[in-house]
């Protein structure tokens, strides 16, 4: 019995290893195919061949026969390419990519269910068709999970309701099933968006990472030293208990505290470093995606990717995936024009999409630039007005940049027509919220008709950040230090009132002030002492009025939990040295919250305003 | 006693009323500790506490059930419960004892008990000369206000 169990464990280990290795190989292979499609490179062809060969061998040894057969056929095709008997036309690349995608799915299945769940016969048929053109199979319709099916699985609509919707679609051909369902009020828009996301991403989360042995050794060393520190603490504790001469105890304690502080700092850094993963993990998927999107939209785009080696925390890399893909889709679909249009505008027919990652202090910046048609600011403004989100006067007071960043408002899409990849009007606001969830920032810059640049700024790591601890009345709050640019001590007359809003004029810049006391509806009298914390978010500057500033601290972010996750203005909490919980401010939402409160206030009491003027 | 299964309840007091919750749902009982207030939270949420490195929300049961507020004192306790994976605590005036009562002595709630809407009550247990109100914790801690707000936003 035990022997069998042991063997099973060993087998599982081998399979796990195979899954990790082969998914990595597949990722590389898919990238490489895109490379050889552009230009034939013998070295690259050979490396693809070797990778597929390895997968074929291991999978047949482990008994994953479907996978092995598929790999075998793929290897045959690659063999011909290697010998120069076949050229990598787009057709060949398409079929190879399709089969490698399928292999990836199978590996995913093996991870989850222990065996392949996909049927490879169609793709194998296509590969055979390449090897022997006379056996070319008839084209098969693409299988993709239909939105209706997903909805039924999720028990949101019933089968009969779906049938009705499908009947309706017959008459209104150009509408998507999702849109009709929405019109019929079977589901809400938020539900629909969730489903659409589900339809797009089949799920990808890595459960294990590879880590440098050197990094592990460093960690082990530090942990060893931590244990030594613990032993010393125990010793001091027993000294204190015995009533040892107190000065000696205190000296020792101070020494150990210092020692442990140094070690935990280093431990923290090492663990953080161990969690860092190069952004190439996400960037690698881009060439393939851009290639597919280009052929779908008949665009011609040159892709430039720089800074793949920039490192980011593992959890951030995963969370970055969706927003990044969305932005790129937007750029390809709405940004870069069709080759003919480009020529007409006097631009080179081939568009440029450039993606760049680099470090800036404790942050990673990712820029997505395209030389497409840019943002039509007037169109954005019109749309905002049409939707009644802002008044004419408010719009007029915006700077060019502020107006451009209106694209991040929920429910705003300036695209005239919808397409399968973007333009559902759920795009940019989701991107922004996702990035802000990671304590990052997103802003956009553009010149109409020429280019658009979207910048994402992310912290290196999620769990720990530097924060400024401030006091408002009796409560302490933490403000993420990455947003803080400076502190201003308040004096009489420094704060001015413009149009009922408090502002601070600092070096000729007018900075609006958010009074936390009001934003959080604390009771109590107004006073004008304390500090203003100047925060910079995107290109917005605001001042936050606080009573006193305690200092900088490194805080460990803890979520508030399911029950309190949607509290406006608060992004989480942290525990201070004395065990007290303090809240971490979510600066972007503090601003929104404050603006909303003010609006309500103004609408409710117009006569009060007149009174206050006197 | 006949076929009745035995229920074990932790009993506690709010004012003069005696309440009970299923002991299996109770994780621990703590003395009053430092509570951090949360701005913009639903009114009945008193704040959060640090429970050995985990942050959990605290509900003031007096506020939640519409009792008059009263300053906390030495006998004030926080009962920490786990509901469907969610850990949270609620403040009560005092904790009395652990009781074992047969399930069949519990009756469905009358329409009004101690001024609490009966939807929060799972049943009423009769013990000699006392009445024990069994709270339906799930209902007590789901927030109807929040659902209201969500449905407004969707329309």
């Amino acid at each position: 019995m035990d022997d069998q169990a042991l063997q099973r464990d060993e087998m599982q280990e081998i399979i796990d290893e195979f899954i990790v290795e082969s998914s990595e190989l597949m990722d590389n292979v898919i990238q490489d195919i895109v490379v050889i499609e552009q230009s034939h490179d013998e070295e690259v062809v050979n490396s693809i061949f070797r990778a597929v060969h390895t997968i074929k061998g291991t999978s047949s040894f482990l008994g994953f026969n479907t996978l092995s057969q598929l790999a075998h056929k793929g290897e045959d095709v690659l063999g011909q390419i290697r010998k120069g008997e076949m050229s990598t036309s787009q057709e060949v690349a398409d079929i190879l990519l399709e089969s490698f995608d399928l292999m990836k799915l199978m590996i995913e299945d093996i991870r989850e269910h222990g065996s392949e769940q996909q049927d490879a016969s169609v793709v194998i048929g296509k590969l055979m068709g390449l090897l022997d053109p006379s056996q070319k199979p008839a084209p098969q319709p693409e299988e993709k999970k239909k939105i209706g099916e997903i909805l039924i699985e999720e028990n949101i609509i019933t089968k009969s309701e779906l049938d009705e919707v499908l009947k309706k679609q017959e008459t209104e051909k150009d509408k998507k099933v999702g849109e009709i369902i929405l019109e019929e009020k079977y589901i809400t828009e938020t539900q629909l968006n969730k489903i659409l996301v589900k339809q797009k991403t089949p799920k990808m989360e890595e459960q294990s990472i590879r880590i440098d042995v050197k990094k592990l050794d460093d960690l082990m060393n530090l942990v060893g030293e931590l244990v030594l520190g613990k032993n010393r603490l125990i010793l001091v504790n027993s000294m204190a208990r015995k009533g040892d001469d107190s000065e000696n105890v205190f000296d020792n304690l101070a020494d150990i505290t210092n020692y442990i502080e140094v070690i935990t700092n280093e431990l923290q850094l090492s663990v953080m470093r161990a969690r860092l993963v190069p952004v190439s993990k996400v960037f690698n998927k881009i060439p393939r995606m851009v290639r597919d999107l280009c052929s779908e939209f008949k665009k011609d785009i040159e892709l430039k990717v720089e800074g793949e080696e920039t490192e980011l925390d593992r959890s951030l890399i995963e969370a970055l995936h969706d927003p990044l893909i969305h932005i790129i889709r937007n750029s390809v679909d709405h940004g870069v024009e069709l080759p003919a249009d480009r020529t007409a505008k006097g631009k080179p027919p081939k568009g440029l999409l450039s993606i760049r990652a680099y470090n800036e202090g404790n942050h990673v910046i990712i820029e997505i630039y395209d030389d497409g048609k840019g943002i039509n600011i007037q169109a954005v403004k019109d749309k905002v007005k049409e939707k009644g989100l802002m008044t004419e006067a408010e719009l007029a007071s915006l700077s060019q940049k502020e107006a451009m960043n209106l694209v991040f408002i929920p429910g705003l899409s300036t695209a005239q027509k919808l397409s399968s990849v973007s333009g559902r009007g759920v795009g940019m606001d989701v991107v922004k919220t996702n990035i802000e969830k990671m304590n990052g920032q997103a802003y956009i810059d553009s010149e109409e008709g020429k280019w658009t640049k979207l910048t994402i700024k992310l912290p290196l790591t999620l769990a720990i950040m530097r924060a400024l601890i401030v006091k408002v009345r009796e409560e302490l709050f933490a403000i993420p230090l990455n947003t803080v640019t400076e502190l201003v001590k308040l004096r009489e007359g420094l704060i001015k009132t413009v149009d009922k809003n408090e502002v601070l004029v600092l070096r000729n810049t007018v900075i609006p002030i958010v009074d936390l006391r009001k934003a959080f509806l604390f009771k109590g009298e107004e006073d004008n002492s304390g500090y203003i914390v100047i925060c910079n978010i995107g290109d917005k500057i605001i001042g936050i009025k606080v009573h006193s500033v305690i200092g900088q601290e490194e805080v460990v972010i803890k979520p508030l939990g399911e029950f309190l996750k949607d509290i406006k203005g608060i992004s989480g909490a942290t525990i201070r040295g004395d065990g007290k919980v303090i809240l971490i401010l979510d600066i972007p939402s503090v601003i929104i919250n404050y603006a909303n409160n003010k609006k309500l206030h103004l609408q409710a009491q117009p006569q009060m305003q007149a009174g206050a003027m006197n | 006693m006949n076929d009745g299964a035995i229920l074990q309840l932790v009993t506690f007091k709010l004012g003069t009323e005696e309440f009970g919750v299923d002991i299996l749902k109770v994780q621990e009982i703590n003395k009053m500790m430092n509570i951090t207030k949360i701005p913009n939270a639903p009114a009945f949420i008193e704040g959060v506490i640090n429970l050995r490195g985990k942050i959990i929300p605290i509900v003031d049961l007096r506020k939640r059930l519409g009792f008059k507020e009263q300053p906390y004192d030495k006998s004030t306790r926080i009962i920490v419960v786990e509901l469907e994976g969610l850990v949270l605590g609620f403040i009560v005036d005092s904790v009395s004892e652990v009781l074992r009562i047969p399930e069949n002595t519990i009756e469905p709630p009358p329409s009004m008990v101690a001024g609490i809407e009966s939807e929060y009550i799972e049943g009423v247990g009769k013990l000699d000369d006392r009445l024990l109100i069994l709270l339906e914790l799930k209902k007590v801690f789901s927030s109807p206000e929040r659902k209201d707000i969500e449905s407004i936003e969707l329309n």
Side-chain angles (χ1 to χ4, degrees), chain A residues 122 126 136-142:
Chain A
V122 177
K126 284 187 188 170
K136 208 166 189 168
Q140 296 254 353
E142 281 276 322

Side-chain angles (χ1 to χ4, degrees), chain A residues 307-514:
Chain A
E308 299 107 311
E309 70 290 341
T310 315
E311 288 188 319
L312 253 185
D313 190 88
R314 209 178 81 80
S315 53
L316 287 176
I317 292 268
E318 268 158 27
L320 183 65
H321 181 263
D322 287 352
L324 194 65
I325 297 240
H326 198 98
I327 295 166
I328 291 169
R329 282 189 165 133
N330 255 336
S331 281
V332 175
D333 186 12
H334 301 311
V336 179
E337 309 91 331
L338 291 168
D341 295 349
R342 291 182 63 91
T343 326
K345 282 186 188 168
K347 290 183 184 178
K350 200 168 187 140
L352 175 73
L353 178 64
S354 128
I355 293 153
R356 200 156 81 92
Y358 57 92
N359 283 91
E360 197 186 87
N362 250 339
H363 286 91
V364 169
I365 314 274
I366 296 171
E367 288 175 355
I368 299 104
Y369 169 94
D370 71 68
D371 67 344
K373 56 177 171 267
I375 292 177
N376 183 340
I377 296 177
Q378 200 50 48
V380 175
K381 282 187 174 177
D382 288 348
K383 197 84 177 191
V384 172
K385 206 162 62 190
E386 183 193 314
K387 298 230 163 167
L389 299 168
M390 284 174 117
T391 64
E392 182 100 32
E394 278 175 304
L395 284 171
S397 70
L398 295 177
S399 70
Q400 290 274 7
K401 266 201 173 169
E402 280 171 333
M404 253 180 269
N405 283 286
L406 291 176
V407 294
F408 290 119
I409 295 180
L412 202 77
S413 174
T414 58
Q416 299 299 318
K417 73 172 194 273
L418 301 174
S419 76
S420 73
V421 286
S422 47
R424 286 197 179 93
V426 290
M428 298 314 278
D429 63 312
V430 177
V431 168
K432 193 176 168 84
T433 29
N434 277 343
I435 286 165
E436 278 171 2
K437 248 187 235 157
M438 307 182 248
N439 281 317
Q441 302 170 12
Y443 32 92
I444 207 161
D445 196 4
S446 167
E447 190 173 336
E448 202 190 336
K450 291 194 175 142
W451 52 267
T452 311
K453 187 169 84 181
L454 208 138
T455 311
I456 299 174
K457 191 172 171 189
L458 290 172
L460 264 182
T461 180
L462 250 193
I464 299 164
M465 69 173 177
R466 294 202 67 80
L468 188 73
I469 312 291
V470 298
K471 200 170 189 177
V472 181
R473 299 251 92 139
E474 290 314 306
E475 300 287 333
L476 293 181
F477 290 96
I479 301 178
L481 205 62
N482 58 5
T483 58
V484 177
T485 47
E486 64 178 301
L487 287 176
V488 178
K489 176 127 178 64
L490 274 182
R491 300 190 304 272
E492 196 65 37
L494 207 58
I495 292 184
K496 299 192 169 58
T497 310
V498 174
D499 196 17
K500 269 289 260 176
N501 300 332
E502 288 191 322
V503 298
L504 171 78
V505 182
L506 186 70
R507 293 186 294 274
N508 294 331
T509 324
V510 179
I511 301 170
I513 286 178
V514 175

